[in-house]
Every structure is written in structure tokens, then in C-alpha cells.
Amino acid sequence: LILSLAIMVSASFQGARSVVPLIVSSYVFYGMANYFSIGIMLKYKPKYMAYIQISVAILNLFFNAILIPPLGIIGAGISTVLSFFCLMVFTFAVSQRLYHIPFEYSKLLILELLICIAVFIAFQINAGIWLSIVLKIMLCFLLLSALFVFRFFETNDVQNFRKVFNF
């Protein structure tokens, strides 16, 4: 992502580089919130999603008011991370109350932590364009390997993976 900023935008937008990791992390939380909303949808209660989103929008305004004056664009990024994290937590809490789903919490935590670590490492890579691409592809394979090491995948997942990739 940072690499694409260097290639596709003018120098006047290069300052966004510092906030991109925060925005990427925010959307990981947003994706998890969507994942957790299944209970709300199964119970046909979309109004709860509206209540959650309005609450999070108000929280975002509060976080912005506190964090932007002292931290500028980084404060806005932190505010976005905090808001999407709250969206994930609120959605999870309401959804589980309406329709309990026994998620594999340890696997979700491992996945979240490994993705955050990989994103952090990826944003530290500051080599030439081609070397950065190669290193980031290697990082993706390392992330996948770490998921295997932490037994994220079930036996049938591994078997299906082998069938798809013929090994």
C-alpha cells in the first residue's frame, strides 16, 4: 500500500504515508465487525446495527476532538482505529446477546495479532520498489506459515488447501 503511494501519487501526498497503517488497521476491525454482525442479521434486527453505528459515529467525533488538536493527521488515524475497534466490540456484544455463536476466540485473536504484526512489519519495509515487493510477498508467505505453526487451520482445511494447490 505504501509502495503504491510512492508510485501513484505526487510528492504532495507522500505525507499520508504515516497514517496509512492506522487506516489499514481500522479496516481490519471493520471487517471483524461485519463478521460478528451475523447474530444481528440472523435475528432480523438491523436497527441494532444503526444504533451501534450512530453510537460509534458520536464516539468518533469525541475521539477526533481530543486527538486531532495535539496529534494532527496521526490523531485522526488513531481516532479511526479506536472508533472501528469500538464498532467491532459493540457489534460483537449485541450480536452475541441476540444470537450466541460459539466463535473460536483463540483463533480469532491469533489471526488478529498476526495480521497486525504483519502490517506493522510491512510498513517498516522501506527498500527499493522491487525489493519491497519481494519482501512483502515473502511476508505474506511467512504469515501463512505462522498460521500453520499456531494451528489456525483444521485438518480438513489443510486437506482442501492441498487439493486446490495440488500438493
Side-chain angles (χ1 to χ4, degrees):
L1 198 55
I2 295 297
L3 186 60
S4 62
L5 272 177
I7 295 170
M8 297 188 302
V9 299
S10 68
S12 61
F13 289 98
Q14 294 299 320
R17 180 182 184 137
S18 62
V19 77
V20 169
L22 295 170
I23 302 304
V24 170
S25 300
S26 299
Y27 279 96
V28 171
F29 292 131
Y30 179 75
M32 296 296 288
N34 285 330
Y35 179 72
F36 289 141
S37 71
I38 188 73
I40 295 170
M41 297 306 143
L42 286 174
K43 285 294 188 173
Y44 303 106
K45 302 284 186 181
K47 67 181 178 183
Y48 288 108
M49 288 305 299
Y51 299 151
I52 291 168
Q53 290 175 355
I54 290 168
S55 300
V56 169
I58 292 167
L59 273 174
N60 184 258
L61 292 173
F62 173 74
F63 293 145
N64 282 339
I66 290 175
L67 296 171
I68 291 176
L71 302 174
I73 192 169
I74 298 297
I78 293 169
S79 173
T80 304
V81 170
L82 291 173
S83 297
F84 281 157
F85 180 79
C86 290
L87 177 68
M88 179 189 71
V89 170
F90 296 169
T91 301
F92 175 79
V94 171
S95 189
Q96 288 294 90
R97 176 171 258 174
L98 291 173
Y99 189 93
H100 180 75
I101 297 173
F103 290 110
E104 296 183 57
Y105 301 110
S106 60
K107 285 187 176 184
L108 290 173
L109 182 62
I110 288 168
L111 180 63
E112 190 80 26
L113 287 173
L114 288 175
I115 288 174
C116 287
I117 290 167
V119 166
F120 177 78
I121 292 170
F123 284 107
Q124 303 309 309
I125 296 172
N126 194 13
I129 290 174
W130 295 111
L131 181 57
S132 291
I133 290 171
V134 169
L135 290 173
K136 288 177 183 181
I137 289 171
M138 290 171 60
L139 182 62
C140 289
F141 283 112
L142 184 62
L143 174 62
L144 186 61
S145 299
L147 290 173
F148 277 100
V149 167
F150 285 105
R151 303 208 186 283
F152 182 81
F153 300 107
E154 302 288 330
T155 304
N156 63 337
D157 295 331
V158 175
Q159 290 170 348
N160 290 335
F161 182 81
R162 287 184 176 154
K163 283 179 190 175
V164 169
F165 294 102
N166 295 321
F167 66 83

